[in-house]
Amino acid sequence: MKFGKGMFGSKSTGGSTAGSAQGQRSTLVVNVLLGLLLIYLVLCLFVGWYWNREPGIMPLVSASPAQTEMVEGEMTVETVEALMVTLLNKPGGYLTNDIMPPGVWLDNMPHWEFGVLVQIRDITRAMRRDMARSQSQSAEDPDLARAEPLFHFDNKSWIMPATESEYSDGLEALNRYAVRLRAGEADFYARADNLGSWLGDVSTRLGSMSQRLSASVGQAPVTDGSRPREQTPWLEIDDVFYESRGSAWALVHLLRAVEIDFADIIAKKNAQASLQQIIRELEATQEPLWSPMVLNGGGFGMLANHSLVMANYLSRANAALIDLRRLMEQG
């Protein structure tokens, strides 16, 4: 009996040792997985910070060495192309439709992208509707007719077809128009009425953005007609701010291009000062944001209200833009 008892005791010790080894291996696997997860999260943090940086203001596109000078309208078309290329190829690419980290975690850049996209859509529509047509009964340009609806494709689609694919097709159509324009096979009419029509769209956008930015403050409701203006929810204040910042970034480039393509009509209307003021006000919206977040201080308190600062610049730009549009409409 003692011998049998010894055998059973030996079995028990062996089982305990095996169980302990298995537990150590499980703990080791868990620790390795946690370590890899931590490394992944740290990498996502740094990559996300890099991807979330806004592009700076770009220099204007110059004529190629084979050209002695740029044709009328080429600067505007090339600038629209450059804006779309930046939207698709900046660090991280187009982030609005990302479904994987770190892109899916980023909040500010997708709204910045939407602000840029709105301006690309507006100027492309203006070119298709007015600038590439001699009169209202003229046939529209086929490449612009192809590009404009592609730029209005769902900006959050990530598969079958992906947003980037549709925007790239639109970019190719826009590039075909630019090639034909340089070859004298397409038209661009730099007239005062065409410029004034697009400026009206821009003014509407700036006015709307100014109102949305101003709605960040918690004051008594202000009525626009019969509808009260509601305060922007706290979690959406930075969304409106970065959308406005992206829109202003795109407008700086477009107005610089317009200054060249419509130079004759701007000089004839003595509108250089108004246009330069608009560009200066919009450039001021691109100053670095030193705070780690968009602040929403009220009144004359200790904290800034970044939304109201942005609204101030946009309102002043819009006032000058209204003057510029009035000059375009005068005979």
mmCIF file of all heavy atoms in Angstrom, residues 101-151:
data_model
loop_
_atom_site.group_PDB
_atom_site.id
_atom_site.type_symbol
_atom_site.label_atom_id
_atom_site.label_comp_id
_atom_site.label_asym_id
_atom_site.label_seq_id
_atom_site.Cartn_x
_atom_site.Cartn_y
_atom_site.Cartn_z
ATOM 1 N N PRO A 101 -7.204 51.822 -38.351
ATOM 2 C CA PRO A 101 -6.337 52.763 -37.644
ATOM 3 C C PRO A 101 -5.052 52.992 -38.452
ATOM 4 O O PRO A 101 -4.615 52.114 -39.193
ATOM 5 C CB PRO A 101 -6.042 52.048 -36.320
ATOM 6 C CG PRO A 101 -7.123 51.014 -36.204
ATOM 7 C CD PRO A 101 -7.451 50.590 -37.599
ATOM 8 N N PRO A 102 -4.437 54.166 -38.299
ATOM 9 C CA PRO A 102 -4.889 55.284 -37.467
ATOM 10 C C PRO A 102 -5.879 56.210 -38.161
ATOM 11 O O PRO A 102 -6.409 57.117 -37.545
ATOM 12 C CB PRO A 102 -3.589 56.025 -37.160
ATOM 13 C CG PRO A 102 -2.761 55.815 -38.388
ATOM 14 C CD PRO A 102 -3.094 54.430 -38.872
ATOM 15 N N GLY A 103 -6.110 56.001 -39.474
ATOM 16 C CA GLY A 103 -6.970 56.918 -40.212
ATOM 17 C C GLY A 103 -8.367 57.033 -39.643
ATOM 18 O O GLY A 103 -8.945 58.120 -39.595
ATOM 19 N N VAL A 104 -8.928 55.883 -39.194
ATOM 20 C CA VAL A 104 -10.301 55.897 -38.688
ATOM 21 C C VAL A 104 -10.414 56.687 -37.387
ATOM 22 O O VAL A 104 -11.506 57.126 -37.023
ATOM 23 C CB VAL A 104 -10.799 54.446 -38.505
ATOM 24 C CG1 VAL A 104 -10.107 53.785 -37.308
ATOM 25 C CG2 VAL A 104 -12.313 54.395 -38.361
ATOM 26 N N TRP A 105 -9.292 56.881 -36.690
ATOM 27 C CA TRP A 105 -9.313 57.631 -35.434
ATOM 28 C C TRP A 105 -9.181 59.133 -35.652
ATOM 29 O O TRP A 105 -9.475 59.917 -34.746
ATOM 30 C CB TRP A 105 -8.178 57.162 -34.524
ATOM 31 C CG TRP A 105 -8.308 55.738 -34.084
ATOM 32 C CD1 TRP A 105 -9.446 54.987 -34.044
ATOM 33 C CD2 TRP A 105 -7.252 54.888 -33.631
ATOM 34 N NE1 TRP A 105 -9.171 53.727 -33.596
ATOM 35 C CE2 TRP A 105 -7.839 53.625 -33.328
ATOM 36 C CE3 TRP A 105 -5.875 55.050 -33.436
ATOM 37 C CZ2 TRP A 105 -7.086 52.550 -32.852
ATOM 38 C CZ3 TRP A 105 -5.132 53.979 -32.964
ATOM 39 C CH2 TRP A 105 -5.733 52.744 -32.672
ATOM 40 N N LEU A 106 -8.676 59.533 -36.811
ATOM 41 C CA LEU A 106 -8.414 60.943 -37.052
ATOM 42 C C LEU A 106 -9.716 61.665 -37.366
ATOM 43 O O LEU A 106 -10.514 61.204 -38.177
ATOM 44 C CB LEU A 106 -7.418 61.111 -38.198
ATOM 45 C CG LEU A 106 -6.063 60.425 -37.989
ATOM 46 C CD1 LEU A 106 -5.166 60.656 -39.194
ATOM 47 C CD2 LEU A 106 -5.383 60.924 -36.720
ATOM 48 N N ASP A 107 -9.898 62.797 -36.741
ATOM 49 C CA ASP A 107 -11.162 63.530 -36.852
ATOM 50 C C ASP A 107 -11.007 64.845 -37.600
ATOM 51 O O ASP A 107 -11.854 65.220 -38.402
ATOM 52 C CB ASP A 107 -11.720 63.781 -35.448
ATOM 53 C CG ASP A 107 -13.044 64.527 -35.486
ATOM 54 O OD1 ASP A 107 -13.927 64.096 -36.244
ATOM 55 O OD2 ASP A 107 -13.195 65.517 -34.760
ATOM 56 N N ASN A 108 -9.907 65.549 -37.376
ATOM 57 C CA ASN A 108 -9.748 66.880 -37.953
ATOM 58 C C ASN A 108 -9.481 66.844 -39.453
ATOM 59 O O ASN A 108 -10.058 67.623 -40.213
ATOM 60 C CB ASN A 108 -8.612 67.625 -37.241
ATOM 61 C CG ASN A 108 -8.915 67.863 -35.773
ATOM 62 O OD1 ASN A 108 -10.076 67.919 -35.372
ATOM 63 N ND2 ASN A 108 -7.875 67.990 -34.959
ATOM 64 N N MET A 109 -8.593 65.951 -39.889
ATOM 65 C CA MET A 109 -8.204 65.921 -41.299
ATOM 66 C C MET A 109 -9.364 65.602 -42.244
ATOM 67 O O MET A 109 -9.482 66.231 -43.309
ATOM 68 C CB MET A 109 -7.045 64.947 -41.506
ATOM 69 C CG MET A 109 -6.512 64.910 -42.924
ATOM 70 S SD MET A 109 -6.058 66.546 -43.581
ATOM 71 C CE MET A 109 -4.643 66.945 -42.558
ATOM 72 N N PRO A 110 -10.249 64.651 -41.938
ATOM 73 C CA PRO A 110 -11.386 64.425 -42.841
ATOM 74 C C PRO A 110 -12.250 65.664 -43.052
ATOM 75 O O PRO A 110 -12.753 65.891 -44.159
ATOM 76 C CB PRO A 110 -12.166 63.304 -42.144
ATOM 77 C CG PRO A 110 -11.131 62.538 -41.403
ATOM 78 C CD PRO A 110 -10.165 63.591 -40.910
ATOM 79 N N HIS A 111 -12.421 66.476 -42.017
ATOM 80 C CA HIS A 111 -13.212 67.697 -42.181
ATOM 81 C C HIS A 111 -12.426 68.745 -42.980
ATOM 82 O O HIS A 111 -13.020 69.494 -43.766
ATOM 83 C CB HIS A 111 -13.616 68.249 -40.815
ATOM 84 C CG HIS A 111 -14.640 67.412 -40.124
ATOM 85 N ND1 HIS A 111 -14.305 66.390 -39.265
ATOM 86 C CD2 HIS A 111 -15.994 67.401 -40.185
ATOM 87 C CE1 HIS A 111 -15.405 65.810 -38.815
ATOM 88 N NE2 HIS A 111 -16.434 66.406 -39.359
ATOM 89 N N TRP A 112 -11.124 68.785 -42.802
ATOM 90 C CA TRP A 112 -10.284 69.661 -43.629
ATOM 91 C C TRP A 112 -10.402 69.238 -45.090
ATOM 92 O O TRP A 112 -10.544 70.087 -45.979
ATOM 93 C CB TRP A 112 -8.831 69.564 -43.151
ATOM 94 C CG TRP A 112 -7.878 70.468 -43.863
ATOM 95 C CD1 TRP A 112 -7.506 71.736 -43.511
ATOM 96 C CD2 TRP A 112 -7.155 70.176 -45.068
ATOM 97 N NE1 TRP A 112 -6.609 72.250 -44.418
ATOM 98 C CE2 TRP A 112 -6.366 71.313 -45.374
ATOM 99 C CE3 TRP A 112 -7.087 69.062 -45.904
ATOM 100 C CZ2 TRP A 112 -5.534 71.364 -46.492
ATOM 101 C CZ3 TRP A 112 -6.255 69.115 -47.017
ATOM 102 C CH2 TRP A 112 -5.490 70.251 -47.309
ATOM 103 N N GLU A 113 -10.358 67.940 -45.351
ATOM 104 C CA GLU A 113 -10.487 67.424 -46.717
ATOM 105 C C GLU A 113 -11.826 67.818 -47.332
ATOM 106 O O GLU A 113 -11.894 68.178 -48.509
ATOM 107 C CB GLU A 113 -10.342 65.907 -46.713
ATOM 108 C CG GLU A 113 -8.941 65.415 -46.389
ATOM 109 C CD GLU A 113 -8.856 63.906 -46.261
ATOM 110 O OE1 GLU A 113 -9.919 63.269 -46.110
ATOM 111 O OE2 GLU A 113 -7.742 63.358 -46.300
ATOM 112 N N PHE A 114 -12.891 67.766 -46.530
ATOM 113 C CA PHE A 114 -14.199 68.120 -47.066
ATOM 114 C C PHE A 114 -14.258 69.600 -47.446
ATOM 115 O O PHE A 114 -14.867 69.971 -48.460
ATOM 116 C CB PHE A 114 -15.297 67.799 -46.052
ATOM 117 C CG PHE A 114 -16.689 68.074 -46.558
ATOM 118 C CD1 PHE A 114 -17.251 67.279 -47.538
ATOM 119 C CD2 PHE A 114 -17.424 69.139 -46.066
ATOM 120 C CE1 PHE A 114 -18.527 67.539 -48.026
ATOM 121 C CE2 PHE A 114 -18.705 69.404 -46.541
ATOM 122 C CZ PHE A 114 -19.257 68.593 -47.527
ATOM 123 N N GLY A 115 -13.633 70.457 -46.646
ATOM 124 C CA GLY A 115 -13.595 71.878 -46.978
ATOM 125 C C GLY A 115 -12.899 72.122 -48.306
ATOM 126 O O GLY A 115 -13.363 72.929 -49.120
ATOM 127 N N VAL A 116 -11.785 71.423 -48.537
ATOM 128 C CA VAL A 116 -11.077 71.544 -49.816
ATOM 129 C C VAL A 116 -11.940 71.013 -50.948
ATOM 130 O O VAL A 116 -12.046 71.624 -52.021
ATOM 131 C CB VAL A 116 -9.736 70.781 -49.757
ATOM 132 C CG1 VAL A 116 -9.044 70.809 -51.120
ATOM 133 C CG2 VAL A 116 -8.825 71.367 -48.689
ATOM 134 N N LEU A 117 -12.574 69.873 -50.709
ATOM 135 C CA LEU A 117 -13.389 69.233 -51.744
ATOM 136 C C LEU A 117 -14.553 70.115 -52.184
ATOM 137 O O LEU A 117 -14.896 70.178 -53.381
ATOM 138 C CB LEU A 117 -13.906 67.895 -51.218
ATOM 139 C CG LEU A 117 -14.682 67.010 -52.189
ATOM 140 C CD1 LEU A 117 -13.823 66.646 -53.392
ATOM 141 C CD2 LEU A 117 -15.168 65.753 -51.480
ATOM 142 N N VAL A 118 -15.170 70.821 -51.250
ATOM 143 C CA VAL A 118 -16.281 71.713 -51.590
ATOM 144 C C VAL A 118 -15.827 72.790 -52.574
ATOM 145 O O VAL A 118 -16.529 73.104 -53.555
ATOM 146 C CB VAL A 118 -16.864 72.349 -50.311
ATOM 147 C CG1 VAL A 118 -17.761 73.527 -50.650
ATOM 148 C CG2 VAL A 118 -17.655 71.317 -49.515
ATOM 149 N N GLN A 119 -14.651 73.352 -52.350
ATOM 150 C CA GLN A 119 -14.155 74.387 -53.256
ATOM 151 C C GLN A 119 -13.779 73.816 -54.622
ATOM 152 O O GLN A 119 -13.980 74.477 -55.654
ATOM 153 C CB GLN A 119 -12.954 75.102 -52.624
ATOM 154 C CG GLN A 119 -13.289 75.866 -51.350
ATOM 155 C CD GLN A 119 -14.397 76.889 -51.548
ATOM 156 O OE1 GLN A 119 -14.522 77.471 -52.628
ATOM 157 N NE2 GLN A 119 -15.195 77.115 -50.515
ATOM 158 N N ILE A 120 -13.237 72.595 -54.656
ATOM 159 C CA ILE A 120 -12.938 71.946 -55.935
ATOM 160 C C ILE A 120 -14.227 71.721 -56.710
ATOM 161 O O ILE A 120 -14.298 71.950 -57.930
ATOM 162 C CB ILE A 120 -12.195 70.620 -55.695
ATOM 163 C CG1 ILE A 120 -10.789 70.879 -55.146
ATOM 164 C CG2 ILE A 120 -12.106 69.807 -56.992
ATOM 165 C CD1 ILE A 120 -10.028 69.618 -54.775
ATOM 166 N N ARG A 121 -15.261 71.279 -56.028
ATOM 167 C CA ARG A 121 -16.547 71.047 -56.688
ATOM 168 C C ARG A 121 -17.128 72.344 -57.239
ATOM 169 O O ARG A 121 -17.639 72.383 -58.364
ATOM 170 C CB ARG A 121 -17.524 70.406 -55.688
ATOM 171 C CG ARG A 121 -17.190 68.969 -55.329
ATOM 172 C CD ARG A 121 -18.057 68.471 -54.187
ATOM 173 N NE ARG A 121 -17.879 67.049 -53.943
ATOM 174 C CZ ARG A 121 -18.445 66.376 -52.933
ATOM 175 N NH1 ARG A 121 -19.240 67.033 -52.064
ATOM 176 N NH2 ARG A 121 -18.235 65.074 -52.791
ATOM 177 N N ASP A 122 -17.043 73.416 -56.460
ATOM 178 C CA ASP A 122 -17.624 74.691 -56.887
ATOM 179 C C ASP A 122 -16.915 75.250 -58.123
ATOM 180 O O ASP A 122 -17.560 75.707 -59.071
ATOM 181 C CB ASP A 122 -17.575 75.706 -55.746
ATOM 182 C CG ASP A 122 -18.637 75.450 -54.685
ATOM 183 O OD1 ASP A 122 -19.495 74.575 -54.913
ATOM 184 O OD2 ASP A 122 -18.599 76.116 -53.635
ATOM 185 N N ILE A 123 -15.584 75.238 -58.120
ATOM 186 C CA ILE A 123 -14.851 75.819 -59.247
ATOM 187 C C ILE A 123 -14.999 74.946 -60.484
ATOM 188 O O ILE A 123 -15.088 75.461 -61.616
ATOM 189 C CB ILE A 123 -13.361 76.041 -58.888
ATOM 190 C CG1 ILE A 123 -12.643 76.808 -60.001
ATOM 191 C CG2 ILE A 123 -12.660 74.730 -58.607
ATOM 192 C CD1 ILE A 123 -13.146 78.195 -60.238
ATOM 193 N N THR A 124 -15.059 73.623 -60.307
ATOM 194 C CA THR A 124 -15.246 72.740 -61.470
ATOM 195 C C THR A 124 -16.619 72.945 -62.080
ATOM 196 O O THR A 124 -16.774 72.963 -63.313
ATOM 197 C CB THR A 124 -15.064 71.271 -61.056
ATOM 198 O OG1 THR A 124 -13.829 71.111 -60.349
ATOM 199 C CG2 THR A 124 -15.038 70.368 -62.281
ATOM 200 N N ARG A 125 -17.631 73.126 -61.231
ATOM 201 C CA ARG A 125 -18.971 73.407 -61.740
ATOM 202 C C ARG A 125 -19.005 74.741 -62.467
ATOM 203 O O ARG A 125 -19.640 74.880 -63.518
ATOM 204 C CB ARG A 125 -19.986 73.395 -60.594
ATOM 205 C CG ARG A 125 -21.420 73.644 -61.070
ATOM 206 C CD ARG A 125 -22.430 73.540 -59.953
ATOM 207 N NE ARG A 125 -22.240 74.547 -58.935
ATOM 208 C CZ ARG A 125 -21.794 74.308 -57.709
ATOM 209 N NH1 ARG A 125 -21.509 73.075 -57.338
ATOM 210 N NH2 ARG A 125 -21.638 75.284 -56.831
ATOM 211 N N ALA A 126 -18.310 75.745 -61.931
ATOM 212 C CA ALA A 126 -18.273 77.056 -62.574
ATOM 213 C C ALA A 126 -17.590 76.981 -63.935
ATOM 214 O O ALA A 126 -18.020 77.636 -64.894
ATOM 215 C CB ALA A 126 -17.553 78.063 -61.675
ATOM 216 N N MET A 127 -16.529 76.183 -64.037
ATOM 217 C CA MET A 127 -15.853 76.039 -65.326
ATOM 218 C C MET A 127 -16.762 75.333 -66.329
ATOM 219 O O MET A 127 -16.835 75.726 -67.496
ATOM 220 C CB MET A 127 -14.542 75.266 -65.146
ATOM 221 C CG MET A 127 -13.460 76.063 -64.452
ATOM 222 S SD MET A 127 -11.822 75.295 -64.562
ATOM 223 C CE MET A 127 -12.091 73.773 -63.645
ATOM 224 N N ARG A 128 -17.431 74.278 -65.873
ATOM 225 C CA ARG A 128 -18.323 73.548 -66.781
ATOM 226 C C ARG A 128 -19.515 74.411 -67.193
ATOM 227 O O ARG A 128 -19.913 74.412 -68.369
ATOM 228 C CB ARG A 128 -18.802 72.267 -66.095
ATOM 229 C CG ARG A 128 -19.812 71.469 -66.906
ATOM 230 C CD ARG A 128 -20.379 70.304 -66.105
ATOM 231 N NE ARG A 128 -21.359 69.557 -66.890
ATOM 232 C CZ ARG A 128 -22.052 68.510 -66.418
ATOM 233 N NH1 ARG A 128 -21.875 68.096 -65.167
ATOM 234 N NH2 ARG A 128 -22.922 67.896 -67.201
ATOM 235 N N ARG A 129 -20.067 75.155 -66.253
ATOM 236 C CA ARG A 129 -21.300 75.909 -66.493
ATOM 237 C C ARG A 129 -21.065 77.223 -67.233
ATOM 238 O O ARG A 129 -21.867 77.619 -68.100
ATOM 239 C CB ARG A 129 -21.969 76.183 -65.145
ATOM 240 C CG ARG A 129 -23.285 76.956 -65.194
ATOM 241 C CD ARG A 129 -23.696 77.323 -63.781
ATOM 242 N NE ARG A 129 -22.709 78.186 -63.139
ATOM 243 C CZ ARG A 129 -22.665 78.400 -61.824
ATOM 244 N NH1 ARG A 129 -23.521 77.789 -61.020
ATOM 245 N NH2 ARG A 129 -21.750 79.218 -61.319
ATOM 246 N N ASP A 130 -19.952 77.923 -66.912
ATOM 247 C CA ASP A 130 -19.751 79.282 -67.420
ATOM 248 C C ASP A 130 -18.417 79.477 -68.142
ATOM 249 O O ASP A 130 -18.394 79.928 -69.297
ATOM 250 C CB ASP A 130 -19.835 80.288 -66.269
ATOM 251 C CG ASP A 130 -21.180 80.246 -65.557
ATOM 252 O OD1 ASP A 130 -22.204 80.204 -66.259
ATOM 253 O OD2 ASP A 130 -21.196 80.247 -64.314
ATOM 254 N N MET A 131 -17.319 79.182 -67.477
ATOM 255 C CA MET A 131 -16.015 79.614 -67.969
ATOM 256 C C MET A 131 -15.587 78.943 -69.264
ATOM 257 O O MET A 131 -14.793 79.523 -70.025
ATOM 258 C CB MET A 131 -14.952 79.395 -66.877
ATOM 259 C CG MET A 131 -15.192 80.198 -65.619
ATOM 260 S SD MET A 131 -13.978 79.858 -64.330
ATOM 261 C CE MET A 131 -14.609 80.881 -62.990
ATOM 262 N N ALA A 132 -16.062 77.739 -69.526
ATOM 263 C CA ALA A 132 -15.675 77.033 -70.754
ATOM 264 C C ALA A 132 -16.718 77.182 -71.852
ATOM 265 O O ALA A 132 -16.636 76.501 -72.880
ATOM 266 C CB ALA A 132 -15.435 75.547 -70.452
ATOM 267 N N ARG A 133 -17.693 78.074 -71.668
ATOM 268 C CA ARG A 133 -18.767 78.246 -72.651
ATOM 269 C C ARG A 133 -18.865 79.718 -73.051
ATOM 270 O O ARG A 133 -18.845 80.606 -72.187
ATOM 271 C CB ARG A 133 -20.098 77.760 -72.076
ATOM 272 C CG ARG A 133 -20.052 76.319 -71.609
ATOM 273 C CD ARG A 133 -21.289 75.930 -70.838
ATOM 274 N NE ARG A 133 -22.466 75.880 -71.696
ATOM 275 C CZ ARG A 133 -23.688 75.570 -71.245
ATOM 276 N NH1 ARG A 133 -23.875 75.312 -69.959
ATOM 277 N NH2 ARG A 133 -24.704 75.526 -72.072
ATOM 278 N N SER A 134 -19.015 79.962 -74.334
ATOM 279 C CA SER A 134 -19.066 81.341 -74.818
ATOM 280 C C SER A 134 -20.392 82.011 -74.485
ATOM 281 O O SER A 134 -20.453 83.220 -74.289
ATOM 282 C CB SER A 134 -18.834 81.373 -76.335
ATOM 283 O OG SER A 134 -19.834 80.617 -77.010
ATOM 284 N N GLN A 135 -21.462 81.228 -74.405
ATOM 285 C CA GLN A 135 -22.773 81.749 -74.044
ATOM 286 C C GLN A 135 -23.616 80.609 -73.480
ATOM 287 O O GLN A 135 -23.216 79.444 -73.521
ATOM 288 C CB GLN A 135 -23.457 82.374 -75.251
ATOM 289 C CG GLN A 135 -23.547 81.456 -76.467
ATOM 290 C CD GLN A 135 -24.097 82.160 -77.690
ATOM 291 O OE1 GLN A 135 -24.510 83.313 -77.613
ATOM 292 N NE2 GLN A 135 -24.121 81.479 -78.817
ATOM 293 N N SER A 136 -24.786 80.954 -72.964
ATOM 294 C CA SER A 136 -25.610 79.955 -72.279
ATOM 295 C C SER A 136 -26.077 78.833 -73.196
ATOM 296 O O SER A 136 -26.364 77.730 -72.740
ATOM 297 C CB SER A 136 -26.832 80.628 -71.632
ATOM 298 O OG SER A 136 -27.632 81.271 -72.628
ATOM 299 N N GLN A 137 -26.169 79.092 -74.514
ATOM 300 C CA GLN A 137 -26.636 78.084 -75.456
ATOM 301 C C GLN A 137 -25.498 77.249 -76.042
ATOM 302 O O GLN A 137 -25.748 76.360 -76.859
ATOM 303 C CB GLN A 137 -27.414 78.761 -76.597
ATOM 304 C CG GLN A 137 -28.625 79.546 -76.138
ATOM 305 C CD GLN A 137 -29.637 78.670 -75.413
ATOM 306 O OE1 GLN A 137 -29.940 77.569 -75.845
ATOM 307 N NE2 GLN A 137 -30.163 79.178 -74.302
ATOM 308 N N SER A 138 -24.259 77.532 -75.632
ATOM 309 C CA SER A 138 -23.122 76.776 -76.158
ATOM 310 C C SER A 138 -23.080 75.372 -75.546
ATOM 311 O O SER A 138 -23.546 75.151 -74.422
ATOM 312 C CB SER A 138 -21.809 77.508 -75.854
ATOM 313 O OG SER A 138 -21.819 78.798 -76.414
ATOM 314 N N ALA A 139 -22.494 74.451 -76.296
ATOM 315 C CA ALA A 139 -22.328 73.086 -75.793
ATOM 316 C C ALA A 139 -21.261 73.061 -74.707
ATOM 317 O O ALA A 139 -20.251 73.764 -74.791
ATOM 318 C CB ALA A 139 -21.936 72.154 -76.939
ATOM 319 N N GLU A 140 -21.472 72.251 -73.673
ATOM 320 C CA GLU A 140 -20.506 72.159 -72.590
ATOM 321 C C GLU A 140 -19.306 71.322 -73.008
ATOM 322 O O GLU A 140 -19.399 70.478 -73.909
ATOM 323 C CB GLU A 140 -21.160 71.555 -71.342
ATOM 324 C CG GLU A 140 -21.667 70.144 -71.528
ATOM 325 C CD GLU A 140 -22.387 69.632 -70.290
ATOM 326 O OE1 GLU A 140 -22.575 70.416 -69.355
ATOM 327 O OE2 GLU A 140 -22.741 68.446 -70.277
ATOM 328 N N ASP A 141 -18.183 71.566 -72.365
ATOM 329 C CA ASP A 141 -16.967 70.822 -72.677
ATOM 330 C C ASP A 141 -17.120 69.377 -72.222
ATOM 331 O O ASP A 141 -17.507 69.125 -71.065
ATOM 332 C CB ASP A 141 -15.765 71.464 -71.988
ATOM 333 C CG ASP A 141 -14.465 70.823 -72.396
ATOM 334 O OD1 ASP A 141 -14.068 69.833 -71.747
ATOM 335 O OD2 ASP A 141 -13.854 71.301 -73.373
ATOM 336 N N PRO A 142 -16.813 68.381 -73.057
ATOM 337 C CA PRO A 142 -17.036 66.980 -72.685
ATOM 338 C C PRO A 142 -16.181 66.505 -71.517
ATOM 339 O O PRO A 142 -16.639 65.700 -70.697
ATOM 340 C CB PRO A 142 -16.700 66.216 -73.975
ATOM 341 C CG PRO A 142 -15.836 67.149 -74.765
ATOM 342 C CD PRO A 142 -16.320 68.509 -74.442
ATOM 343 N N ASP A 143 -14.950 66.991 -71.425
ATOM 344 C CA ASP A 143 -14.089 66.549 -70.324
ATOM 345 C C ASP A 143 -14.521 67.161 -68.997
ATOM 346 O O ASP A 143 -14.481 66.485 -67.954
ATOM 347 C CB ASP A 143 -12.631 66.909 -70.619
ATOM 348 C CG ASP A 143 -12.041 66.033 -71.719
ATOM 349 O OD1 ASP A 143 -12.359 64.823 -71.738
ATOM 350 O OD2 ASP A 143 -11.288 66.552 -72.562
ATOM 351 N N LEU A 144 -14.942 68.409 -69.001
ATOM 352 C CA LEU A 144 -15.462 69.015 -67.781
ATOM 353 C C LEU A 144 -16.790 68.387 -67.380
ATOM 354 O O LEU A 144 -17.080 68.225 -66.183
ATOM 355 C CB LEU A 144 -15.640 70.522 -67.968
ATOM 356 C CG LEU A 144 -14.352 71.343 -68.105
ATOM 357 C CD1 LEU A 144 -14.677 72.809 -68.348
ATOM 358 C CD2 LEU A 144 -13.470 71.182 -66.869
ATOM 359 N N ALA A 145 -17.595 68.010 -68.375
ATOM 360 C CA ALA A 145 -18.850 67.321 -68.090
ATOM 361 C C ALA A 145 -18.600 65.959 -67.465
ATOM 362 O O ALA A 145 -19.431 65.439 -66.717
ATOM 363 C CB ALA A 145 -19.662 67.169 -69.373
ATOM 364 N N ARG A 146 -17.459 65.373 -67.761
ATOM 365 C CA ARG A 146 -17.066 64.090 -67.151
ATOM 366 C C ARG A 146 -16.473 64.298 -65.759
ATOM 367 O O ARG A 146 -16.778 63.554 -64.823
ATOM 368 C CB ARG A 146 -16.039 63.405 -68.063
ATOM 369 C CG ARG A 146 -15.315 62.208 -67.483
ATOM 370 C CD ARG A 146 -16.206 61.024 -67.337
ATOM 371 N NE ARG A 146 -15.450 59.856 -66.886
ATOM 372 C CZ ARG A 146 -16.012 58.770 -66.357
ATOM 373 N NH1 ARG A 146 -17.327 58.700 -66.221
ATOM 374 N NH2 ARG A 146 -15.270 57.755 -65.982
ATOM 375 N N ALA A 147 -15.645 65.317 -65.599
ATOM 376 C CA ALA A 147 -14.930 65.519 -64.335
ATOM 377 C C ALA A 147 -15.852 65.967 -63.205
ATOM 378 O O ALA A 147 -15.751 65.474 -62.073
ATOM 379 C CB ALA A 147 -13.808 66.536 -64.531
ATOM 380 N N GLU A 148 -16.740 66.926 -63.488
ATOM 381 C CA GLU A 148 -17.536 67.530 -62.403
ATOM 382 C C GLU A 148 -18.379 66.524 -61.618
ATOM 383 O O GLU A 148 -18.321 66.506 -60.386
ATOM 384 C CB GLU A 148 -18.416 68.631 -62.982
ATOM 385 C CG GLU A 148 -18.970 69.554 -61.916
ATOM 386 C CD GLU A 148 -20.481 69.634 -61.945
ATOM 387 O OE1 GLU A 148 -21.076 69.301 -62.974
ATOM 388 O OE2 GLU A 148 -21.061 70.033 -60.928
ATOM 389 N N PRO A 149 -19.152 65.631 -62.258
ATOM 390 C CA PRO A 149 -19.925 64.668 -61.458
ATOM 391 C C PRO A 149 -19.058 63.667 -60.703
ATOM 392 O O PRO A 149 -19.447 63.186 -59.635
ATOM 393 C CB PRO A 149 -20.800 63.965 -62.504
ATOM 394 C CG PRO A 149 -20.155 64.220 -63.810
ATOM 395 C CD PRO A 149 -19.479 65.536 -63.692
ATOM 396 N N LEU A 150 -17.864 63.351 -61.235
ATOM 397 C CA LEU A 150 -16.976 62.429 -60.520
ATOM 398 C C LEU A 150 -16.469 63.056 -59.221
ATOM 399 O O LEU A 150 -16.278 62.357 -58.221
ATOM 400 C CB LEU A 150 -15.796 62.044 -61.421
ATOM 401 C CG LEU A 150 -16.131 61.100 -62.577
ATOM 402 C CD1 LEU A 150 -14.929 60.939 -63.507
ATOM 403 C CD2 LEU A 150 -16.561 59.737 -62.051
ATOM 404 N N PHE A 151 -16.259 64.365 -59.212
ATOM 405 C CA PHE A 151 -15.822 65.041 -57.994
ATOM 406 C C PHE A 151 -16.959 65.143 -56.967
ATOM 407 O O PHE A 151 -16.702 65.452 -55.802
ATOM 408 C CB PHE A 151 -15.292 66.438 -58.314
ATOM 409 C CG PHE A 151 -13.994 66.434 -59.077
ATOM 410 C CD1 PHE A 151 -13.625 67.518 -59.854
ATOM 411 C CD2 PHE A 151 -13.142 65.350 -59.015
ATOM 412 C CE1 PHE A 151 -12.431 67.516 -60.553
ATOM 413 C CE2 PHE A 151 -11.939 65.329 -59.708
ATOM 414 C CZ PHE A 151 -11.588 66.419 -60.484
#
